[in-house]
Amino acid sequence: MAYKGEKGVSTSQDNDFDRHHDGRRKSSIANVFHGDDDSAIEGQLFSMNAIDPALDAKMRLVNQAINQIGWTNFHLKLFCLNGFGYMADSLILVVQSVIAGQAAAEFQPSFANGLTFASYAGMLVGALFWGGSADIIGRKIAFNTSLFVSAIFAIVAAGSPNWIVLGLFVSLAAFGAGGNLVLDTTVFLEYLPKDKQWLVTSLAAWWGLAPLFPAAFAWPLFSDPRFACDTELPQQCTKANNMGWRYVWIGCGGLILVMSIARITVIRLKETPKFLLGEGKDEAVVANLQSIAQRYNRRCDLTLEHLQACGTISSTHKKGLGEAWFHIRGLFVTKKLALSTCLIWFSWTLIGLAYPLFYVFLPQYLASRGANTGAGSPSAVWRDYFISNTCGIFGPILAGFMATTRLGRRYTMVIGALVTCAFFFAYTAVRTHAANLGFTCAIYFTVNVYYGTLYAYTPEVLPSAHRATGNGIAIACNRVMGLVSAAVATSANTATSAPIYICAVLYIVMAIVAAIMPFEPYGKSSM
């Protein structure tokens, strides 16, 4: 089937960059991709032709160039460096929960859940700030600075003189880390060839790896009475005999600092080609992709003439708050995209409530039923914590494999949610330490199959020009529900089993939502 190009040149859908090099560079080859619906466009997740034909055509040429370059060591470095951001996000949340008991014993606060509120509040603002700014000023600045902010305040938190100051620094460290789930998936995805997009799912393995570091620091420190006072005797707890939690902050903050330095030294990240494309900087797009191709001796036939032949993009926007609103509206430009955006945000809201709420209520519920799940010594407690979190690393790895099969992203999420639900119901029958450890490992594994896939699916199905904004709002929905779970934990009656069953039902709803999502990225390039 042939389509008429912008300059009246009839071209075939089989045209590639070789033909451009044979003397037809000035023809509007990009317009061969124009179609009226998604089904008419092979290999693309959706079409933006009805909204902005020039941008749609250019985006397809950029995808073709990225696929032509293929996988390189540059992408491998990005996988690790973006994984560091995932680790930082998880690390801050885990560290505050790990040290909360020891810090509370020293400071004796009136509001014991204050650090939970502080961390989720910081994560909420961070997701919105870094996500929004990444669509307005670019991915590069946010990518290079966010981890520095988190590292500085994480280290400073170790010197906190009281509970309120500690909460402030925890919140600021969370603010710096809170946008990385947005930035990391966005930056990584916008450089990936189509056949490697499943790696965005496996990127979440770094998130599961993060809790091992606080556990590794806390295990010897909190097992040694020289560094951790007895929380059952808070009146004897002072800074002198309770330095362990401060060392945990220093160690984890130092780790984030090293990761932030690696981000600006291992590679010199340029703006992603798809962000530059949305800004109308065609020349920079070509230079970016050509530099990667030359560095790794790969072929890239994209030229400035190819992009310019597609015309000028019609998407224009204002600066400041007007631009923020422009990016939000861009997530609802078609009915199908609007439905997809709403279902994604709803999914993040559900998991944001179900995941922390279950772990808030479960220990009290088991205790009220007489379950004997104690691990004994502090060393055994941290050993079990280390084991269970190790199991969580492999969930996203399995999810990445499942996402490359005909199950796709959607049904990988369905399976992960339903299996997690089954383990949650079964967990209420736990009565021994061994059973507690076994089911905890299983849940850490299966919930990360769902979570890891949702992390990847979200940026894959959002249009690149508004990807960081939509992803940031999704993560913010998650953080809001984290605050809700902390509030519920403060005031709710934990004697009833209702919260556990509610959480299990929420996972069933998540499975249903995943099944009806309108886009399936399997085998298609993101726009």
Side-chain angles (χ1 to χ4, degrees):
M1 182 176 181
Y3 295 82
K4 183 165 289 188
E6 199 171 80
K7 295 187 179 182
V9 178
S10 179
T11 58
S12 165
Q13 194 165 3
D14 292 331
N15 284 348
D16 58 17
F17 288 112
D18 289 334
R19 293 187 176 181
H20 292 308
H21 272 283
D22 289 337
R24 304 185 196 181
R25 292 181 179 178
K26 293 185 179 180
S27 63
S28 184
I29 297 302
N31 288 335
V32 305
F33 294 106
H34 288 176
D36 295 328
D37 56 45
D38 296 348
S39 62
I41 304 164
E42 184 179 358
Q44 300 295 149
L45 186 58
F46 54 81
S47 171
M48 297 294 288
N49 183 50
I51 310 301
D52 191 337
L55 178 60
D56 182 79
K58 291 181 180 185
M59 192 67 70
R60 298 180 193 285
L61 285 178
V62 168
N63 277 335
Q64 189 178 355
I66 291 173
N67 292 334
Q68 188 180 37
I69 294 171
W71 177 265
T72 67
N73 284 338
F74 172 77
H75 298 92
L76 179 61
K77 293 175 183 178
L78 274 183
F79 180 78
C80 296
L81 296 175
N82 285 282
F84 291 165
Y86 262 67
M87 286 182 63
D89 180 279
S90 178
L91 205 60
I92 296 300
L93 288 175
V94 172
V95 171
Q96 68 83 18
S97 65
V98 164
I99 64 92
Q102 293 298 143
E106 179 179 332
F107 296 133
Q108 301 184 41
S110 58
F111 185 39
N113 289 327
L115 295 189
T116 301
F117 274 93
S119 59
Y120 274 105
M123 290 284 179
L124 167 62
V125 178
L128 293 173
F129 176 81
W130 297 111
S133 66
D135 274 341
I136 296 173
I137 64 174
R139 284 72 156 124
K140 177 181 177 181
I141 295 176
F143 182 84
N144 287 338
T145 59
S146 58
L147 284 191
F148 273 114
V149 173
S150 182
I152 291 170
F153 287 110
I155 294 172
V156 171
S160 300
N162 56 58
W163 187 254
I164 294 176
V165 173
L166 176 59
L168 173 63
F169 289 141
V170 167
S171 182
L172 291 171
F175 166 77
N180 277 274
L181 293 184
V182 181
L183 296 169
D184 299 326
T185 53
T186 298
V187 170
F188 191 44
L189 178 65
E190 293 187 358
Y191 277 106
L192 277 180
K194 179 177 67 176
D195 63 344
K196 293 295 189 295
Q197 284 181 189
W198 62 271
L199 281 168
V200 183
T201 300
S202 294
L203 192 67
W206 290 92
W207 200 88
L209 178 65
L212 301 186
F213 291 94
F217 288 126
W219 189 346
L221 289 171
F222 289 1
S223 301
D224 190 331
R226 294 176 299 174
F227 302 106
C229 62
D230 189 347
T231 56
E232 300 297 324
L233 301 171
Q235 65 277 9
Q236 299 178 11
C237 198
T238 64
K239 181 178 179 180
N241 65 2
N242 196 38
M243 287 292 293
W245 68 266
R246 300 176 187 271
Y247 293 145
V248 172
W249 269 119
I250 293 173
C252 291
L255 177 63
I256 297 174
L257 181 61
V258 170
M259 293 189 296
S260 67
I261 294 173
R263 278 192 165 187
I264 60 175
T265 56
V266 174
I267 60 173
R268 299 290 180 89
L269 183 72
K270 300 177 181 179
E271 281 298 349
T272 67
K274 293 184 178 180
F275 174 80
L276 293 171
L277 202 61
E279 294 290 296
K281 300 178 180 179
D282 293 353
E283 187 173 356
V285 172
V286 174
N288 190 339
L289 293 175
Q290 289 288 355
S291 68
I292 296 174
Q294 292 172 10
R295 187 183 312 153
Y296 297 99
N297 196 27
R298 298 297 176 86
R299 183 174 177 177
C300 178
D301 296 327
L302 179 67
T303 69
L304 180 59
E305 290 177 318
H306 294 154
L307 294 179
Q308 290 179 338
C310 299
T312 303
I313 64 174
S314 61
S315 302
T316 57
H317 47 277
K318 302 175 182 178
K319 296 298 181 183
L321 293 177
E323 183 163 3
W325 178 242
F326 164 80
H327 288 298
I328 294 173
R329 285 191 296 109
L331 301 167
F332 297 89
V333 290
T334 68
K335 290 182 179 180
K336 195 171 183 179
L337 184 59
L339 174 62
S340 176
T341 299
C342 291
L343 290 177
I344 288 172
W345 290 352
F346 185 47
S347 296
W348 279 100
T349 301
L350 291 173
I351 189 70
L353 178 61
Y355 186 83
L357 195 59
F358 177 80
Y359 287 103
V360 165
F361 278 106
L362 188 65
Q364 294 91 333
Y365 170 78
L366 292 177
S368 70
R369 296 297 189 274
N372 179 23
T373 60
S377 67
S379 178
V381 170
W382 291 107
R383 176 201 63 203
D384 292 352
Y385 185 86
F386 196 89
I387 292 172
S388 59
N389 278 282
T390 299
C391 294
I393 298 172
F394 300 99
I397 296 175
L398 175 63
F401 170 77
M402 293 170 66
T404 63
T405 69
R406 293 196 176 275
L407 287 172
R409 276 62 157 170
R410 291 182 300 178
Y411 286 101
T412 297
M413 287 191 284
V414 170
I415 293 171
L418 291 180
V419 175
T420 300
C421 173
F423 277 119
F424 274 5
F425 277 124
Y427 203 0
T428 59
V430 167
R431 292 294 182 273
T432 67
H433 168 243
N436 180 58
L437 178 59
F439 276 102
T440 300
C441 289
I443 288 177
Y444 269 71
F445 180 86
T446 58
V447 77
N448 280 343
V449 170
Y450 174 86
Y451 230 152
T453 310
L454 183 62
Y455 279 133
Y457 181 87
T458 300
E460 278 190 290
V461 299
L462 296 173
S464 62
H466 319 294
R467 178 170 288 140
T469 298
N471 203 359
I473 294 174
I475 303 298
C477 291
N478 181 276
R479 307 310 190 194
V480 168
M481 300 316 292
L483 290 171
V484 171
S485 69
V488 171
T490 302
S491 57
N493 178 10
T494 59
T496 174
S497 60
I500 293 177
Y501 291 107
I502 290 174
C503 289
V505 170
L506 288 175
Y507 276 92
I508 296 176
V509 177
M510 284 180 239
I512 295 172
V513 172
I516 64 175
M517 285 179 173
F519 295 117
E520 173 50 63
Y522 169 69
K524 298 183 176 71
S525 293
S526 294
M527 291 295 287

mmCIF file of all heavy atoms in Angstrom, residues 240-268:
data_model
loop_
_atom_site.group_PDB
_atom_site.id
_atom_site.type_symbol
_atom_site.label_atom_id
_atom_site.label_comp_id
_atom_site.label_asym_id
_atom_site.label_seq_id
_atom_site.Cartn_x
_atom_site.Cartn_y
_atom_site.Cartn_z
ATOM 1 N N ALA A 240 24.680 8.214 73.193
ATOM 2 C CA ALA A 240 25.949 7.525 73.390
ATOM 3 C C ALA A 240 25.837 6.020 73.197
ATOM 4 O O ALA A 240 26.756 5.381 72.671
ATOM 5 C CB ALA A 240 26.494 7.835 74.786
ATOM 6 N N ASN A 241 24.715 5.426 73.635
ATOM 7 C CA ASN A 241 24.581 3.977 73.512
ATOM 8 C C ASN A 241 23.610 3.566 72.400
ATOM 9 O O ASN A 241 23.140 2.429 72.362
ATOM 10 C CB ASN A 241 24.132 3.359 74.842
ATOM 11 C CG ASN A 241 22.728 3.798 75.251
ATOM 12 O OD1 ASN A 241 22.063 4.544 74.536
ATOM 13 N ND2 ASN A 241 22.290 3.339 76.415
ATOM 14 N N ASN A 242 23.329 4.525 71.479
ATOM 15 C CA ASN A 242 22.351 4.236 70.426
ATOM 16 C C ASN A 242 22.777 4.860 69.090
ATOM 17 O O ASN A 242 21.964 5.400 68.343
ATOM 18 C CB ASN A 242 20.977 4.784 70.840
ATOM 19 C CG ASN A 242 19.855 4.203 70.007
ATOM 20 O OD1 ASN A 242 19.859 3.024 69.656
ATOM 21 N ND2 ASN A 242 18.875 5.031 69.693
ATOM 22 N N MET A 243 24.058 4.727 68.776
ATOM 23 C CA MET A 243 24.583 5.339 67.555
ATOM 24 C C MET A 243 24.319 4.505 66.305
ATOM 25 O O MET A 243 24.537 4.974 65.189
ATOM 26 C CB MET A 243 26.086 5.565 67.694
ATOM 27 C CG MET A 243 26.458 6.705 68.638
ATOM 28 S SD MET A 243 25.961 8.329 67.984
ATOM 29 C CE MET A 243 27.044 8.472 66.564
ATOM 30 N N GLY A 244 23.842 3.294 66.469
ATOM 31 C CA GLY A 244 23.674 2.378 65.344
ATOM 32 C C GLY A 244 22.808 2.943 64.225
ATOM 33 O O GLY A 244 23.177 2.882 63.045
ATOM 34 N N TRP A 245 21.638 3.514 64.595
ATOM 35 C CA TRP A 245 20.733 4.019 63.555
ATOM 36 C C TRP A 245 21.343 5.200 62.796
ATOM 37 O O TRP A 245 21.067 5.408 61.613
ATOM 38 C CB TRP A 245 19.374 4.384 64.143
ATOM 39 C CG TRP A 245 19.339 5.571 65.068
ATOM 40 C CD1 TRP A 245 19.427 5.565 66.419
ATOM 41 C CD2 TRP A 245 19.157 6.953 64.684
ATOM 42 N NE1 TRP A 245 19.330 6.847 66.924
ATOM 43 C CE2 TRP A 245 19.152 7.715 65.879
ATOM 44 C CE3 TRP A 245 18.995 7.614 63.476
ATOM 45 C CZ2 TRP A 245 19.002 9.112 65.880
ATOM 46 C CZ3 TRP A 245 18.841 8.997 63.469
ATOM 47 C CH2 TRP A 245 18.845 9.730 64.663
ATOM 48 N N ARG A 246 22.198 5.960 63.485
ATOM 49 C CA ARG A 246 22.887 7.071 62.819
ATOM 50 C C ARG A 246 23.912 6.545 61.809
ATOM 51 O O ARG A 246 24.055 7.104 60.711
ATOM 52 C CB ARG A 246 23.572 7.956 63.859
ATOM 53 C CG ARG A 246 22.585 8.565 64.866
ATOM 54 C CD ARG A 246 23.319 9.362 65.946
ATOM 55 N NE ARG A 246 22.411 9.803 67.004
ATOM 56 C CZ ARG A 246 21.730 10.944 66.986
ATOM 57 N NH1 ARG A 246 21.858 11.766 65.958
ATOM 58 N NH2 ARG A 246 20.932 11.263 67.988
ATOM 59 N N TYR A 247 24.598 5.476 62.165
ATOM 60 C CA TYR A 247 25.560 4.880 61.233
ATOM 61 C C TYR A 247 24.852 4.289 60.011
ATOM 62 O O TYR A 247 25.407 4.302 58.898
ATOM 63 C CB TYR A 247 26.383 3.805 61.943
ATOM 64 C CG TYR A 247 27.303 4.337 63.020
ATOM 65 C CD1 TYR A 247 27.552 3.604 64.181
ATOM 66 C CD2 TYR A 247 27.933 5.573 62.878
ATOM 67 C CE1 TYR A 247 28.390 4.088 65.170
ATOM 68 C CE2 TYR A 247 28.774 6.064 63.862
ATOM 69 C CZ TYR A 247 28.998 5.322 65.006
ATOM 70 O OH TYR A 247 29.830 5.800 65.993
ATOM 71 N N VAL A 248 23.644 3.766 60.211
ATOM 72 C CA VAL A 248 22.868 3.247 59.081
ATOM 73 C C VAL A 248 22.564 4.367 58.085
ATOM 74 O O VAL A 248 22.707 4.209 56.873
ATOM 75 C CB VAL A 248 21.570 2.577 59.564
ATOM 76 C CG1 VAL A 248 20.679 2.218 58.372
ATOM 77 C CG2 VAL A 248 21.874 1.325 60.377
ATOM 78 N N TRP A 249 22.163 5.541 58.610
ATOM 79 C CA TRP A 249 21.898 6.691 57.731
ATOM 80 C C TRP A 249 23.163 7.128 56.994
ATOM 81 O O TRP A 249 23.133 7.431 55.799
ATOM 82 C CB TRP A 249 21.347 7.867 58.531
ATOM 83 C CG TRP A 249 19.866 7.917 58.638
ATOM 84 C CD1 TRP A 249 19.123 7.867 59.781
ATOM 85 C CD2 TRP A 249 18.923 8.034 57.578
ATOM 86 N NE1 TRP A 249 17.783 7.933 59.503
ATOM 87 C CE2 TRP A 249 17.632 8.043 58.147
ATOM 88 C CE3 TRP A 249 19.032 8.126 56.188
ATOM 89 C CZ2 TRP A 249 16.463 8.142 57.387
ATOM 90 C CZ3 TRP A 249 17.882 8.224 55.424
ATOM 91 C CH2 TRP A 249 16.621 8.233 56.021
ATOM 92 N N ILE A 250 24.283 7.178 57.714
ATOM 93 C CA ILE A 250 25.540 7.596 57.079
ATOM 94 C C ILE A 250 25.937 6.613 55.980
ATOM 95 O O ILE A 250 26.321 7.011 54.871
ATOM 96 C CB ILE A 250 26.658 7.706 58.129
ATOM 97 C CG1 ILE A 250 26.360 8.868 59.087
ATOM 98 C CG2 ILE A 250 28.016 7.903 57.457
ATOM 99 C CD1 ILE A 250 27.318 8.950 60.270
ATOM 100 N N GLY A 251 25.826 5.326 56.284
ATOM 101 C CA GLY A 251 26.201 4.313 55.297
ATOM 102 C C GLY A 251 25.336 4.360 54.056
ATOM 103 O O GLY A 251 25.837 4.344 52.920
ATOM 104 N N CYS A 252 24.027 4.432 54.257
ATOM 105 C CA CYS A 252 23.115 4.447 53.106
ATOM 106 C C CYS A 252 23.188 5.777 52.355
ATOM 107 O O CYS A 252 23.126 5.814 51.121
ATOM 108 C CB CYS A 252 21.689 4.171 53.573
ATOM 109 S SG CYS A 252 21.453 2.471 54.163
ATOM 110 N N GLY A 253 23.337 6.889 53.092
ATOM 111 C CA GLY A 253 23.508 8.180 52.435
ATOM 112 C C GLY A 253 24.788 8.221 51.624
ATOM 113 O O GLY A 253 24.825 8.773 50.515
ATOM 114 N N GLY A 254 25.855 7.643 52.172
ATOM 115 C CA GLY A 254 27.115 7.576 51.432
ATOM 116 C C GLY A 254 26.986 6.739 50.169
ATOM 117 O O GLY A 254 27.567 7.074 49.128
ATOM 118 N N LEU A 255 26.210 5.668 50.252
ATOM 119 C CA LEU A 255 25.983 4.828 49.075
ATOM 120 C C LEU A 255 25.259 5.616 47.984
ATOM 121 O O LEU A 255 25.626 5.542 46.808
ATOM 122 C CB LEU A 255 25.173 3.594 49.471
ATOM 123 C CG LEU A 255 24.793 2.640 48.341
ATOM 124 C CD1 LEU A 255 26.037 2.036 47.694
ATOM 125 C CD2 LEU A 255 23.875 1.521 48.863
ATOM 126 N N ILE A 256 24.245 6.373 48.357
ATOM 127 C CA ILE A 256 23.517 7.190 47.376
ATOM 128 C C ILE A 256 24.429 8.247 46.777
ATOM 129 O O ILE A 256 24.352 8.557 45.579
ATOM 130 C CB ILE A 256 22.279 7.847 48.025
ATOM 131 C CG1 ILE A 256 21.301 6.768 48.503
ATOM 132 C CG2 ILE A 256 21.584 8.779 47.049
ATOM 133 C CD1 ILE A 256 20.121 7.316 49.279
ATOM 134 N N LEU A 257 25.328 8.816 47.598
ATOM 135 C CA LEU A 257 26.267 9.813 47.100
ATOM 136 C C LEU A 257 27.193 9.216 46.037
ATOM 137 O O LEU A 257 27.442 9.830 44.996
ATOM 138 C CB LEU A 257 27.094 10.384 48.251
ATOM 139 C CG LEU A 257 28.107 11.463 47.875
ATOM 140 C CD1 LEU A 257 27.416 12.679 47.264
ATOM 141 C CD2 LEU A 257 28.929 11.875 49.102
ATOM 142 N N VAL A 258 27.687 8.011 46.295
ATOM 143 C CA VAL A 258 28.543 7.332 45.313
ATOM 144 C C VAL A 258 27.773 7.101 44.018
ATOM 145 O O VAL A 258 28.301 7.303 42.914
ATOM 146 C CB VAL A 258 29.059 5.992 45.888
ATOM 147 C CG1 VAL A 258 29.743 5.164 44.793
ATOM 148 C CG2 VAL A 258 30.024 6.239 47.038
ATOM 149 N N MET A 259 26.513 6.691 44.141
ATOM 150 C CA MET A 259 25.697 6.448 42.952
ATOM 151 C C MET A 259 25.458 7.737 42.173
ATOM 152 O O MET A 259 25.454 7.744 40.934
ATOM 153 C CB MET A 259 24.367 5.808 43.347
ATOM 154 C CG MET A 259 24.513 4.395 43.911
ATOM 155 S SD MET A 259 22.933 3.525 44.148
ATOM 156 C CE MET A 259 22.146 4.537 45.399
ATOM 157 N N SER A 260 25.264 8.846 42.900
ATOM 158 C CA SER A 260 25.026 10.124 42.222
ATOM 159 C C SER A 260 26.266 10.591 41.478
ATOM 160 O O SER A 260 26.171 11.183 40.394
ATOM 161 C CB SER A 260 24.577 11.180 43.235
ATOM 162 O OG SER A 260 25.615 11.497 44.144
ATOM 163 N N ILE A 261 27.438 10.335 42.046
ATOM 164 C CA ILE A 261 28.688 10.696 41.362
ATOM 165 C C ILE A 261 28.875 9.842 40.110
ATOM 166 O O ILE A 261 29.312 10.323 39.058
ATOM 167 C CB ILE A 261 29.881 10.547 42.322
ATOM 168 C CG1 ILE A 261 29.770 11.571 43.459
ATOM 169 C CG2 ILE A 261 31.202 10.705 41.573
ATOM 170 C CD1 ILE A 261 30.806 11.394 44.554
ATOM 171 N N ALA A 262 28.527 8.558 40.219
ATOM 172 C CA ALA A 262 28.655 7.659 39.066
ATOM 173 C C ALA A 262 27.792 8.122 37.902
ATOM 174 O O ALA A 262 28.162 7.964 36.731
ATOM 175 C CB ALA A 262 28.276 6.233 39.471
ATOM 176 N N ARG A 263 26.647 8.726 38.217
ATOM 177 C CA ARG A 263 25.735 9.160 37.158
ATOM 178 C C ARG A 263 26.334 10.247 36.256
ATOM 179 O O ARG A 263 25.973 10.358 35.092
ATOM 180 C CB ARG A 263 24.435 9.684 37.772
ATOM 181 C CG ARG A 263 23.456 8.587 38.133
ATOM 182 C CD ARG A 263 22.098 9.167 38.457
ATOM 183 N NE ARG A 263 21.085 8.150 38.452
ATOM 184 C CZ ARG A 263 19.788 8.392 38.573
ATOM 185 N NH1 ARG A 263 19.367 9.634 38.707
ATOM 186 N NH2 ARG A 263 18.918 7.413 38.553
ATOM 187 N N ILE A 264 27.226 11.060 36.809
ATOM 188 C CA ILE A 264 27.792 12.142 35.996
ATOM 189 C C ILE A 264 29.218 11.859 35.541
ATOM 190 O O ILE A 264 29.807 12.677 34.836
ATOM 191 C CB ILE A 264 27.765 13.479 36.772
ATOM 192 C CG1 ILE A 264 28.581 13.384 38.053
ATOM 193 C CG2 ILE A 264 26.336 13.888 37.073
ATOM 194 C CD1 ILE A 264 28.703 14.703 38.804
ATOM 195 N N THR A 265 29.766 10.703 35.941
ATOM 196 C CA THR A 265 31.129 10.378 35.529
ATOM 197 C C THR A 265 31.197 9.180 34.588
ATOM 198 O O THR A 265 32.032 9.151 33.677
ATOM 199 C CB THR A 265 32.016 10.092 36.760
ATOM 200 O OG1 THR A 265 31.417 9.047 37.553
ATOM 201 C CG2 THR A 265 32.169 11.337 37.609
ATOM 202 N N VAL A 266 30.321 8.192 34.798
ATOM 203 C CA VAL A 266 30.357 6.994 33.949
ATOM 204 C C VAL A 266 29.887 7.321 32.541
ATOM 205 O O VAL A 266 30.451 6.866 31.552
ATOM 206 C CB VAL A 266 29.498 5.870 34.554
ATOM 207 C CG1 VAL A 266 29.411 4.680 33.601
ATOM 208 C CG2 VAL A 266 30.085 5.427 35.897
ATOM 209 N N ILE A 267 28.817 8.123 32.427
ATOM 210 C CA ILE A 267 28.373 8.606 31.117
ATOM 211 C C ILE A 267 28.073 10.099 31.229
ATOM 212 O O ILE A 267 27.758 10.594 32.301
ATOM 213 C CB ILE A 267 27.113 7.874 30.606
ATOM 214 C CG1 ILE A 267 25.936 8.074 31.575
ATOM 215 C CG2 ILE A 267 27.384 6.415 30.341
ATOM 216 C CD1 ILE A 267 24.635 7.537 31.048
ATOM 217 N N ARG A 268 28.187 10.786 30.121
ATOM 218 C CA ARG A 268 27.788 12.189 30.056
ATOM 219 C C ARG A 268 26.421 12.222 29.382
ATOM 220 O O ARG A 268 26.323 12.313 28.159
ATOM 221 C CB ARG A 268 28.803 13.008 29.269
ATOM 222 C CG ARG A 268 30.198 13.020 29.876
ATOM 223 C CD ARG A 268 30.245 13.814 31.158
ATOM 224 N NE ARG A 268 31.568 13.835 31.744
ATOM 225 C CZ ARG A 268 32.496 14.746 31.453
ATOM 226 N NH1 ARG A 268 32.213 15.700 30.572
ATOM 227 N NH2 ARG A 268 33.689 14.720 32.016
#
